[in-house]
């Protein structure tokens, strides 16, 4: 379970870094653009991807993911800043319902009443987690329709998860090789956009954004590395890894958000955290029954 704990910590560190970005005047897009360079390097060092096998992979999936990943990363950063770590982590974790629904609709997977119960609880958890009050996570006035960020994070993470599952179906290419290719494309696309924005003087390039992006990339890669290792170490209990990871992120994220960053949550929001944990437990149970 040590790998699960390390994966949880890395995932929450990403949210904390995005929260701190505003405090230290870090441009989120620049940091995210550079995050993919270190993710590529670490994937190369740890997994030695077989680039020759990429000829068998449909590049359109890589391209779509390479665009969606940095775009959603920026939205997650804005969501963390506006709605807080707690709500954003819940939206990310509950996005697992989308691939579950896709498995039922697209891949003819058996849909049980237990799974339906988990989905229903998750829907209520999302509703309860939305900041209906007129304050943001820091206690100040919330921007109009701030809940939209949570909905986009929820939908975006779900779609990306479905696409990654599609990538994993192509057994002719190792999954880590696909990750390397996707990171590479995301880095190239991000750099093209970054160069354009610097050339048109919409943003100002500074070295500190590179270093912040590298720290972000290390945490982002660590999340994936330890998650995969957890599944390898507990190959007979994938539902244990699944539930422990998601519950751990929600719980640790909530503790840090409430204690360290003093995020403001209503009683309804706190109830939403409990419902989110219950929903994940129910869905994890449904995977083995």
């Amino acid at each position: 379970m040590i790998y699960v704990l390390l994966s949880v910590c890395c995932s929450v560190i990403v949210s904390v870094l995005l929260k701190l970005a505003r405090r230290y005047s870090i441009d989120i897009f620049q940091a995210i653009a550079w995050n993919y360079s270190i993710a590529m390097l670490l994937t190369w060092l740890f997994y030695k991807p077989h680039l020759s096998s990429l000829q068998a992979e449909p590049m359109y999936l890589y391209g779509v993911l390479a665009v969606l990943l940095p775009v959603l990363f920026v939205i997650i950063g804005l969501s963390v800043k506006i709605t807080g770590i707690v709500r954003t982590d819940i939206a990310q974790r509950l996005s697992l319902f989308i691939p579950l629904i896709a498995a039922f609709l697209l891949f003819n997977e058996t849909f049980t009443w237990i799974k339906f119960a988990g989905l229903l609880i998750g829907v209520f958890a999302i509703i309860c987690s939305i900041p209906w009050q007129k304050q943001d996570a820091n206690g100040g006035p919330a921007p109009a329709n701030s809940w939209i960020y949570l909905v986009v994070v929820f939908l975006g993470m779900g779609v990306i998860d479905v696409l990654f599952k599609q990538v994993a179906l192509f057994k002719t290419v190792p999954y880590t090789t696909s990750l390397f290719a996707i990171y590479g494309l995301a880095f190239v696309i991000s750099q093209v956009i970054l160069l354009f924005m610097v050339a048109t003087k919409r943003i100002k390039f500074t070295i500190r954004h590179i270093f912040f992006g590298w720290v972000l990339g290390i945490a982002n890669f660590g999340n994936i590395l330890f998650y995969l290792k957890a599944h390898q170490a507990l190959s007979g209990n994938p539902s244990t890894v699944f539930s422990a990871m998601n519950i751990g992120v929600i719980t640790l994220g909530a503790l840090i958000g409430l204690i360290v960053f003093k995020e403001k949550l209503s009683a309804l929001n706190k109830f939403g955290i409990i419902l989110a944990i219950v929903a994940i437990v129910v869905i994890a149970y449904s995977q083995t029954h």
Side-chain angles (χ1 to χ4, degrees):
M1 292 297 286
I2 185 63
Y3 290 129
V4 175
L5 178 61
L6 290 171
S7 182
V8 166
C9 290
C10 287
S11 179
V12 174
I13 286 171
V14 170
S15 295
V16 170
L17 288 171
L18 292 174
K19 182 83 171 180
L20 292 173
R22 179 185 182 184
R23 181 178 299 178
Y24 295 102
S25 301
I26 296 293
D27 180 71
I28 292 176
F29 180 75
Q30 288 193 59
I32 290 169
W34 290 107
N35 130 84
Y36 290 113
S37 62
I38 198 71
M40 282 177 61
L41 176 62
L42 292 173
T43 303
W44 180 268
L45 292 175
F46 279 88
Y47 291 113
K48 303 295 190 295
H50 304 287
L51 301 184
S52 59
S53 64
L54 288 175
Q55 296 176 354
E57 187 71 16
M59 293 304 292
Y60 73 90
L61 277 177
Y62 288 172
V64 173
L65 281 166
V67 172
L68 286 180
L69 282 174
V71 169
L72 188 65
F73 217 149
V74 171
I75 294 171
I76 289 172
L78 294 173
S79 180
V80 167
K81 181 174 72 174
I82 294 170
T83 68
I85 291 175
V86 182
R87 299 185 184 99
T88 303
D89 278 344
I90 290 174
Q92 289 187 72
R93 295 302 142 186
L94 290 183
S95 66
L96 59 93
F97 299 141
I98 293 177
L100 280 178
I101 294 172
F104 171 66
L105 296 177
L106 302 178
F107 306 114
N108 299 317
E109 184 176 309
T110 303
F111 199 70
T112 66
W113 284 106
I114 299 177
K115 288 182 182 179
F116 178 76
L119 291 173
L120 193 61
I121 296 170
V123 169
F124 281 111
I126 294 169
I127 293 172
C128 292
S129 303
I130 288 174
W132 301 107
Q133 65 272 28
K134 300 302 181 182
Q135 288 185 329
D136 64 10
N138 303 310
N145 300 324
S146 58
W147 58 270
I148 292 177
Y149 290 100
L150 296 175
V151 173
V152 173
V153 169
F154 171 76
L155 295 175
M157 286 295 294
V159 170
I160 285 174
D161 197 2
V162 171
L163 292 176
F164 268 120
K165 281 180 170 55
Q166 288 283 83
V167 169
L169 291 176
F170 291 89
K171 303 300 183 182
T172 53
V173 182
Y175 188 69
T176 48
T177 299
S178 293
L179 273 180
F180 179 81
I182 292 166
Y183 285 151
L185 285 172
F187 177 65
V188 170
I189 292 171
S190 298
Q191 289 301 311
V192 170
I193 297 172
L194 183 60
L195 285 172
F196 173 77
M197 295 178 74
V198 170
T200 55
K201 297 182 178 180
R202 298 186 182 187
I203 59 174
K204 184 178 180 180
F205 170 77
T206 55
I207 296 295
R208 64 196 181 109
H209 286 99
I210 297 179
F211 291 113
F212 192 92
W214 285 349
V215 174
L216 188 65
I218 291 171
N220 196 23
F221 175 80
N223 175 30
I224 296 172
L225 172 68
F226 294 124
Y227 186 65
L228 291 177
K229 283 187 173 294
H231 273 294
Q232 291 171 350
L234 299 169
S235 57
N237 296 284
S239 61
T240 300
V241 177
F242 165 83
S243 56
M245 175 66 188
N246 287 285
I247 291 170
V249 169
I250 290 176
T251 305
L252 182 59
L255 289 173
I256 291 177
L258 293 171
I259 297 172
V260 178
F261 293 103
K262 311 296 182 185
E263 292 183 359
K264 306 296 181 182
L265 296 180
S266 67
L268 186 64
N269 294 155
K270 293 174 183 177
F271 182 60
I273 295 173
I274 297 172
L275 284 181
I277 293 173
V278 172
I280 289 168
V281 170
V282 171
I283 287 180
Y285 178 79
S286 74
Q287 305 286 20
T288 56
H289 291 78

